[in-house]
Amino acid sequence: MPKASHPSSRPFHHPQPEVPLYCGEVSLEALTRRFGTPLYVYSADQIVERLQMFKDALAGRDSLVCYAVKANSALAILKLLANRGAGFDIVSGGELERVLAAAPEAAERVVFSGVGKTAEEIDRALQAGILAFNVESEAELQLLAKHAAKLKRVARFALRVNPDVFAETHPYISTGLREHKFGIDIRQAAALYEGAAGNRWLEPHGVSVHIGSQIRSAEPFGAALDRVYKLVKQLAKKGIAIHSIDAGGGLGIDYHAGKSDPAARVREYAAAVDKALAGFEGKLLLEPGRFLVAQAGALVTRVLNVKQNGRKTFVIVDAAMNDLIRPALYQAHHEIVPVRPREGRQKTVDVVGPVCESGDFFARDRKLAPIEAGDLIALLDAGAYGMAQASNYNTRVRPAEVLVEGKKARLIRRRETIADLLAPEIL
Ligand SMILES: *Cc1c(COP(=O)(O)O)cnc(C)c1O
């Protein structure tokens, strides 16, 4: 039987060699009997533990962790984090509605990022009284000023600057170079703050930056914040007081079952931030997404059949790229663990879904223990950008989601039905 207290830093584990895979203290086999497959399973304990790592590493500073909702926007996860004091980084009006539905009291801890905010989204966020808008262009600052004046509400804003710092990651998720669509050239930011200074509806609250995602080294974060702090000092000389610096998200995780210690990674990150911002007395905002939720989640799927095509062996599972698109979109690696491992020699296989695309794969030429039709396997580290990017491609219903807290597991999203999918359509 599983031990009473398993360290949540590795929530998916075999309690003993002969026992099938567990999430914390809950058997994945039992969960699939109750809720079917494919099934997303998340460890609440690990999400809470990760949030605490940031709080501990930044204990000496006035700081606020604003979880990046886009990584995993399940209402139950938003509520879990809000209850522990987290704020939120949103990138759409839809994400604002999620925060308001899950934890209305957290509206004052919301920052609104994104390159293309609409007038309606701005109005709704002003009415909700969010903490700050991370503004990404001069035109957006003008739009914000106009709507703040219309609603007679002062808009706190930060300019999201583009520091022109290169961060080693996948090109689709690198955002901090001048050639990217994100942010305002840091060399033009001071003039925009000065221009806004005379507007009674705009309050220059902070400076924000976000250089990309899945960044494995602390160095580029430090380099970006060096540049941000220089700007803050330059603004202070001109009489513009900046109350907060928002360092964005982007801290990466180890997708390869490595031995990397997440708490040490956060401390290293916090040290780079601290060094760059030595002397800054204002509030530090952080927007981690992936780091908080990725390793807390797995996608559990059942093997439909195993087929041989020429020299290749394909393990065909009931999950597909519509449920977890990261391998197809970012060439991402996910560890694959059989829920009930079989004895025997490892075999090199491709693990694929049923969708009609050759891009529908979870692993290629992967060495795995023997697998047979009917087996369950878990795709690890699927808690971030998994369900959040799921679609109904091939008219497939999206998976159910389960949250495990200690000994308890509860359904936080029921499996979609075909009726759900057809409902908005008109014949
Ligand atoms: C996506 C995003 C984040 C979160 O990035 P992670 O890599 O998941 O930590 C934070 N801030 C902004 C502005 C983002 O677009």
Side-chain angles (χ1 to χ4, degrees):
M1 275 294 99
K3 271 182 276 156
S5 71
H6 179 80
S8 49
S9 50
R10 286 191 176 273
F12 296 93
H13 66 118
H14 294 280
Q16 283 165 26
E18 302 302 308
V19 177
L21 200 62
Y22 270 63
C23 174
E25 295 169 60
V26 175
S27 147
L28 293 183
E29 279 186 347
L31 287 180
T32 61
R33 277 195 295 273
R34 269 170 81 190
F35 303 114
T37 56
L39 184 68
Y40 273 105
V41 180
Y42 309 114
S43 161
D45 299 333
Q46 181 179 94
I47 295 171
V48 169
E49 185 184 273
R50 290 286 168 102
L51 177 64
Q52 192 59 42
M53 283 177 193
F54 280 100
K55 290 185 181 172
D56 291 346
L58 295 162
R61 273 196 185 270
D62 178 12
S63 64
L64 177 66
V65 173
C66 292
Y67 167 62
V69 172
K70 76 173 189 282
N72 186 324
S73 56
L75 296 178
I77 289 177
L78 301 184
K79 189 167 179 195
L80 177 80
L81 287 165
N83 285 347
R84 279 147 188 90
F88 297 98
D89 169 50
I90 60 167
V91 291
S92 74
E95 289 189 349
L96 176 59
E97 297 306 328
R98 283 187 171 274
V99 173
L100 295 176
E105 74 287 354
E108 61 188 30
R109 302 196 296 270
V110 167
V111 295
F112 193 169
S113 304
V115 282
K117 303 175 189 75
T118 67
E120 292 74 23
E121 288 174 324
I122 287 172
D123 280 351
R124 181 75 168 132
L126 282 168
Q127 277 156 346
I130 67 165
L131 176 59
F133 291 82
N134 288 340
V135 170
E136 299 220 13
S137 68
E138 182 172 9
E140 188 183 298
L141 191 59
Q142 283 164 3
L143 185 68
L144 180 62
K146 185 176 136 197
H147 284 259
K150 183 190 78 181
L151 296 177
K152 297 198 166 36
R153 283 182 178 251
V154 174
R156 286 173 295 272
F157 76 94
L159 293 187
R160 173 172 174 183
V161 296
N162 188 318
D164 200 31
V165 162
F166 177 69
E168 183 76 53
T169 185
H170 190 280
Y172 289 2
I173 49 177
S174 177
T175 59
L177 281 180
R178 213 168 280 147
E179 67 203 53
H180 295 133
K181 69 177 175 182
F182 297 97
I184 292 166
D185 189 330
I186 194 161
R187 299 168 302 183
Q188 276 144 30
L192 288 185
Y193 280 106
E194 284 178 83
N199 190 317
R200 60 177 292 213
W201 301 110
L202 291 179
E203 182 190 321
H205 186 262
V207 178
S208 80
V209 73
H210 172 72
I211 53 174
S213 198
Q214 184 53 11
I215 298 167
R216 301 297 314 283
S217 132
E219 199 268 331
F221 295 109
L225 288 174
D226 270 338
R227 295 181 188 187
V228 166
Y229 194 20
K230 265 201 200 99
L231 171 64
V232 168
K233 288 183 202 160
Q234 192 190 336
L235 291 170
K237 284 204 195 107
K238 296 182 172 166
I240 299 169
I242 292 296
H243 309 292
S244 71
I245 289 179
D246 182 337
L251 186 58
I253 63 141
D254 183 3
Y255 280 97
H256 291 263
K259 297 277 173 281
S260 123
D261 170 11
R265 298 292 317 285
V266 177
R267 283 195 298 271
E268 187 192 325
Y269 170 79
V273 171
D274 257 336
K275 183 157 171 259
L277 301 185
F280 177 68
E281 300 279 318
K283 201 179 191 73
L284 172 67
L285 305 182
L286 298 177
E287 304 171 349
R290 186 190 313 269
F291 197 86
L292 292 182
V293 295
Q295 293 179 303
L299 176 58
V300 185
T301 177
R302 193 173 292 283
V303 177
L304 297 173
N305 56 65
V306 180
K307 101 175 195 184
Q308 201 76 33
N309 263 8
R311 252 181 284 155
K312 287 200 76 113
T313 305
F314 291 95
V315 174
I316 301 164
V317 296
D318 68 359
M321 66 188 292
N322 73 293
D323 304 306
L324 177 65
I325 202 171
R326 298 192 67 262
L329 190 57
Y330 311 112
Q331 295 79 46
H333 174 95
H334 285 270
E335 286 293 320
I336 295 178
V337 179
V339 169
R340 192 184 276 273
R342 291 176 183 278
E343 298 286 324
R345 271 190 43 212
Q346 289 196 326
K347 207 171 166 187
T348 302
V349 300
D350 281 18
V351 179
V352 303
V355 161
C356 302
E357 297 244 0
S358 293
D360 181 24
F361 62 89
F362 293 120
R364 282 179 162 158
D365 297 324
R366 186 78 61 91
K367 271 199 154 147
L368 294 176
I371 294 179
E372 292 176 19
D375 288 0
L376 290 168
I377 61 173
L379 301 160
L380 300 188
D381 306 328
Y385 307 105
M387 185 63 170
Q389 295 196 57
S391 77
N392 297 116
Y393 188 40
N394 278 214
T395 306
R396 288 170 52 87
V397 298
R398 283 177 294 177
E401 296 179 288
V402 168
L403 188 65
V404 175
E405 290 186 87
K407 289 185 170 63
K408 279 191 247 145
R410 69 190 170 92
L411 191 65
I412 59 168
R413 190 183 208 274
R414 68 162 168 81
R415 188 174 305 283
E416 280 176 338
T417 63
I418 296 294
D420 290 334
L421 268 53
L422 300 190
E425 296 195 30
I426 299 157
L427 257 181

